[in-house]
Amino acid sequence: MQQSKQLRIIGFITLIVAIALVGTIVLKTKGIMLEAETSSSGTLEKTKVTIITSDVVADQSWGSLAYKGQLKIEEQFPVDVTLYSEINTDKLMVQTVNTAIQDGSKLIIGHGREFSDVFTKAALINPDVRFVTIHGTAKHPNQTVYTFDQGEIEYFAGLAAALKTKTNKIGVLNPTESGDEYPEFEAGLAYYKPEASIYTKVVGSRDNGKKAIQLMKELLSEGVDVIYSKGNSYNRDVIDLAKKEDVYVIGYLDDQSYMGKEHVLTSVMNDVSQTYVAIMNDFFSEKGLNSGKVILNASHGVYSLAPFGPMFTEKEIQFMKNEMKKYEQGELTFP
């Protein structure tokens, strides 16, 4: 009897050990398979993307926004991104596009309209590659342009200018001749200050501070006392001069009040890096990228209006907020 009991105990222990051993083997096998699967899928699912900018990748530069876009999409999407900066001639653009294609890029993004012509030629002979520019033109099915419909924001920037101009002369410093137009800015100014006039100067570059200052002085000599400066790095020079000359500036791209709190009325903020998120959302969608032009709006988080500066009275701020609320509720439409 005692021997039989011992045999049962030994058998029970043996069974437990066997179950534990089998379980361990199964778990380890699953772990190895899962690790291999993860490694494999990580390699297979990564899409090669190339971003090209003609500018330097530095703080306050247009090129820095391309770098911010790279960081965002690397964080949110299964992509392997290569960024090329200072690609500022047609020859360099062609070479870089060819390199990107040879490296297996399925999506090539040009950070500005200056890449449109080169992309148009490349798209025709590389139908399996998607070409995207931020602003610009698109002619082929595998080309897309992403641009911003920031009209309502510029309309209320025009209202801000209307409230603070004393000379009724408003200046605009555009980076390029073919730069974004600003009909809503003009419309807002005309609606709230119909007697005001707009004077436009073209800097010819996004970062030529010396030229921007020269043109700004010409505007000031004509009596302009509010300037909508649509530059990037040259806005710092513009705001510095505005402080010396005691005139107002409407900033661009980010909230630029930190450069001159008493002289920056507000800023038309463009979070261009969000454009890259919109591009990748479309790229990975079931439908994929559209051909032609895609116009982004406030729902994409691309732009907004910065807080109004301390030069506005509480009454003026409340008036502007009420006008903006009317627009949001559909009670106010642009002329």
Side-chain angles (χ1 to χ4, degrees), residues 113-114 135-136 174-181 202 204 206:
R113 59 172 48 83
E114 61 268 29
H135 306 313
N174 248 348
T176 60
E177 189 72 54
S178 59
D180 300 333
E181 295 183 354
V202 177
R206 299 185 183 100

PDB file of all heavy atoms in Angstrom, residues 113-114 135-136 174-181 202 204 206:
ATOM      1  N   ARG A 113       7.220  75.265 -53.622  1.00  0.00           N
ATOM      2  CA  ARG A 113       6.787  75.256 -55.023  1.00  0.00           C
ATOM      3  C   ARG A 113       7.947  75.174 -56.016  1.00  0.00           C
ATOM      4  O   ARG A 113       7.755  74.837 -57.176  1.00  0.00           O
ATOM      5  CB  ARG A 113       5.965  76.513 -55.331  1.00  0.00           C
ATOM      6  CG  ARG A 113       6.703  77.813 -55.085  1.00  0.00           C
ATOM      7  CD  ARG A 113       5.917  79.016 -55.579  1.00  0.00           C
ATOM      8  NE  ARG A 113       4.537  79.018 -55.167  1.00  0.00           N
ATOM      9  CZ  ARG A 113       4.096  79.440 -53.987  1.00  0.00           C
ATOM     10  NH1 ARG A 113       4.949  79.890 -53.090  1.00  0.00           N
ATOM     11  NH2 ARG A 113       2.815  79.416 -53.692  1.00  0.00           N
ATOM     12  N   GLU A 114       9.171  75.478 -55.558  1.00  0.00           N
ATOM     13  CA  GLU A 114      10.313  75.481 -56.466  1.00  0.00           C
ATOM     14  C   GLU A 114      10.637  74.096 -57.021  1.00  0.00           C
ATOM     15  O   GLU A 114      11.398  73.967 -57.987  1.00  0.00           O
ATOM     16  CB  GLU A 114      11.555  76.065 -55.782  1.00  0.00           C
ATOM     17  CG  GLU A 114      12.021  75.308 -54.547  1.00  0.00           C
ATOM     18  CD  GLU A 114      11.432  75.848 -53.246  1.00  0.00           C
ATOM     19  OE1 GLU A 114      10.311  76.392 -53.286  1.00  0.00           O
ATOM     20  OE2 GLU A 114      12.104  75.715 -52.210  1.00  0.00           O
ATOM     21  N   HIS A 135       2.676  73.649 -51.827  1.00  0.00           N
ATOM     22  CA  HIS A 135       2.419  74.718 -52.796  1.00  0.00           C
ATOM     23  C   HIS A 135       2.955  74.280 -54.165  1.00  0.00           C
ATOM     24  O   HIS A 135       3.579  73.230 -54.297  1.00  0.00           O
ATOM     25  CB  HIS A 135       3.031  76.048 -52.370  1.00  0.00           C
ATOM     26  CG  HIS A 135       2.633  76.518 -51.008  1.00  0.00           C
ATOM     27  ND1 HIS A 135       1.323  76.515 -50.578  1.00  0.00           N
ATOM     28  CD2 HIS A 135       3.363  76.985 -49.953  1.00  0.00           C
ATOM     29  CE1 HIS A 135       1.260  76.971 -49.337  1.00  0.00           C
ATOM     30  NE2 HIS A 135       2.494  77.251 -48.930  1.00  0.00           N
ATOM     31  N   GLY A 136       2.701  75.054 -55.186  1.00  0.00           N
ATOM     32  CA  GLY A 136       3.199  74.721 -56.503  1.00  0.00           C
ATOM     33  C   GLY A 136       2.131  74.198 -57.447  1.00  0.00           C
ATOM     34  O   GLY A 136       0.944  74.489 -57.305  1.00  0.00           O
ATOM     35  N   ASN A 174       5.998  90.219 -49.236  1.00  0.00           N
ATOM     36  CA  ASN A 174       5.870  88.853 -49.736  1.00  0.00           C
ATOM     37  C   ASN A 174       7.254  88.267 -50.018  1.00  0.00           C
ATOM     38  O   ASN A 174       8.131  88.982 -50.514  1.00  0.00           O
ATOM     39  CB  ASN A 174       5.054  88.839 -51.032  1.00  0.00           C
ATOM     40  CG  ASN A 174       3.709  88.162 -50.850  1.00  0.00           C
ATOM     41  OD1 ASN A 174       3.466  87.510 -49.850  1.00  0.00           O
ATOM     42  ND2 ASN A 174       2.850  88.321 -51.824  1.00  0.00           N
ATOM     43  N   PRO A 175       7.479  86.990 -49.767  1.00  0.00           N
ATOM     44  CA  PRO A 175       8.792  86.401 -50.037  1.00  0.00           C
ATOM     45  C   PRO A 175       9.090  86.237 -51.520  1.00  0.00           C
ATOM     46  O   PRO A 175      10.228  86.371 -51.948  1.00  0.00           O
ATOM     47  CB  PRO A 175       8.739  85.056 -49.323  1.00  0.00           C
ATOM     48  CG  PRO A 175       7.290  84.744 -49.204  1.00  0.00           C
ATOM     49  CD  PRO A 175       6.588  86.053 -49.063  1.00  0.00           C
ATOM     50  N   THR A 176       8.061  85.934 -52.335  1.00  0.00           N
ATOM     51  CA  THR A 176       8.284  85.721 -53.770  1.00  0.00           C
ATOM     52  C   THR A 176       7.178  86.364 -54.579  1.00  0.00           C
ATOM     53  O   THR A 176       6.077  86.605 -54.079  1.00  0.00           O
ATOM     54  CB  THR A 176       8.320  84.217 -54.112  1.00  0.00           C
ATOM     55  OG1 THR A 176       7.066  83.628 -53.755  1.00  0.00           O
ATOM     56  CG2 THR A 176       9.456  83.516 -53.387  1.00  0.00           C
ATOM     57  N   GLU A 177       7.475  86.609 -55.841  1.00  0.00           N
ATOM     58  CA  GLU A 177       6.495  87.218 -56.752  1.00  0.00           C
ATOM     59  C   GLU A 177       5.268  86.335 -56.887  1.00  0.00           C
ATOM     60  O   GLU A 177       4.146  86.800 -56.981  1.00  0.00           O
ATOM     61  CB  GLU A 177       7.136  87.427 -58.129  1.00  0.00           C
ATOM     62  CG  GLU A 177       6.287  88.249 -59.087  1.00  0.00           C
ATOM     63  CD  GLU A 177       6.230  89.717 -58.700  1.00  0.00           C
ATOM     64  OE1 GLU A 177       7.283  90.337 -58.535  1.00  0.00           O
ATOM     65  OE2 GLU A 177       5.099  90.221 -58.545  1.00  0.00           O
ATOM     66  N   SER A 178       5.512  85.016 -56.905  1.00  0.00           N
ATOM     67  CA  SER A 178       4.417  84.063 -57.038  1.00  0.00           C
ATOM     68  C   SER A 178       3.979  83.538 -55.680  1.00  0.00           C
ATOM     69  O   SER A 178       3.422  82.463 -55.567  1.00  0.00           O
ATOM     70  CB  SER A 178       4.863  82.887 -57.916  1.00  0.00           C
ATOM     71  OG  SER A 178       5.990  82.242 -57.346  1.00  0.00           O
ATOM     72  N   GLY A 179       4.247  84.332 -54.646  1.00  0.00           N
ATOM     73  CA  GLY A 179       3.893  83.919 -53.292  1.00  0.00           C
ATOM     74  C   GLY A 179       2.399  83.833 -53.094  1.00  0.00           C
ATOM     75  O   GLY A 179       1.604  84.242 -53.933  1.00  0.00           O
ATOM     76  N   ASP A 180       2.000  83.262 -51.966  1.00  0.00           N
ATOM     77  CA  ASP A 180       0.580  83.102 -51.673  1.00  0.00           C
ATOM     78  C   ASP A 180      -0.121  84.450 -51.742  1.00  0.00           C
ATOM     79  O   ASP A 180       0.337  85.441 -51.188  1.00  0.00           O
ATOM     80  CB  ASP A 180       0.393  82.503 -50.268  1.00  0.00           C
ATOM     81  CG  ASP A 180       1.052  81.141 -50.166  1.00  0.00           C
ATOM     82  OD1 ASP A 180       1.186  80.464 -51.190  1.00  0.00           O
ATOM     83  OD2 ASP A 180       1.436  80.776 -49.052  1.00  0.00           O
ATOM     84  N   GLU A 181      -1.237  84.482 -52.424  1.00  0.00           N
ATOM     85  CA  GLU A 181      -2.000  85.711 -52.471  1.00  0.00           C
ATOM     86  C   GLU A 181      -2.743  85.881 -51.157  1.00  0.00           C
ATOM     87  O   GLU A 181      -2.853  84.963 -50.345  1.00  0.00           O
ATOM     88  CB  GLU A 181      -2.953  85.672 -53.667  1.00  0.00           C
ATOM     89  CG  GLU A 181      -2.209  85.635 -55.000  1.00  0.00           C
ATOM     90  CD  GLU A 181      -3.157  85.675 -56.181  1.00  0.00           C
ATOM     91  OE1 GLU A 181      -4.374  85.608 -55.962  1.00  0.00           O
ATOM     92  OE2 GLU A 181      -2.665  85.766 -57.318  1.00  0.00           O
ATOM     93  N   VAL A 202       8.004  92.773 -52.843  1.00  0.00           N
ATOM     94  CA  VAL A 202       8.445  91.384 -52.976  1.00  0.00           C
ATOM     95  C   VAL A 202       9.922  91.281 -52.620  1.00  0.00           C
ATOM     96  O   VAL A 202      10.773  91.904 -53.261  1.00  0.00           O
ATOM     97  CB  VAL A 202       8.199  90.855 -54.402  1.00  0.00           C
ATOM     98  CG1 VAL A 202       8.727  89.429 -54.535  1.00  0.00           C
ATOM     99  CG2 VAL A 202       6.714  90.912 -54.739  1.00  0.00           C
ATOM    100  N   GLY A 204      11.795  88.463 -52.627  1.00  0.00           N
ATOM    101  CA  GLY A 204      12.516  87.568 -53.531  1.00  0.00           C
ATOM    102  C   GLY A 204      13.159  86.388 -52.845  1.00  0.00           C
ATOM    103  O   GLY A 204      13.823  85.559 -53.476  1.00  0.00           O
ATOM    104  N   ARG A 206      12.924  83.916 -48.812  1.00  0.00           N
ATOM    105  CA  ARG A 206      12.283  83.752 -47.508  1.00  0.00           C
ATOM    106  C   ARG A 206      13.163  84.222 -46.356  1.00  0.00           C
ATOM    107  O   ARG A 206      12.697  84.377 -45.242  1.00  0.00           O
ATOM    108  CB  ARG A 206      11.923  82.282 -47.284  1.00  0.00           C
ATOM    109  CG  ARG A 206      10.947  81.704 -48.297  1.00  0.00           C
ATOM    110  CD  ARG A 206      10.583  80.282 -47.908  1.00  0.00           C
ATOM    111  NE  ARG A 206       9.706  79.669 -48.884  1.00  0.00           N
ATOM    112  CZ  ARG A 206      10.097  78.825 -49.825  1.00  0.00           C
ATOM    113  NH1 ARG A 206      11.381  78.512 -49.911  1.00  0.00           N
ATOM    114  NH2 ARG A 206       9.247  78.301 -50.676  1.00  0.00           N
TER     115      ARG A 206
END
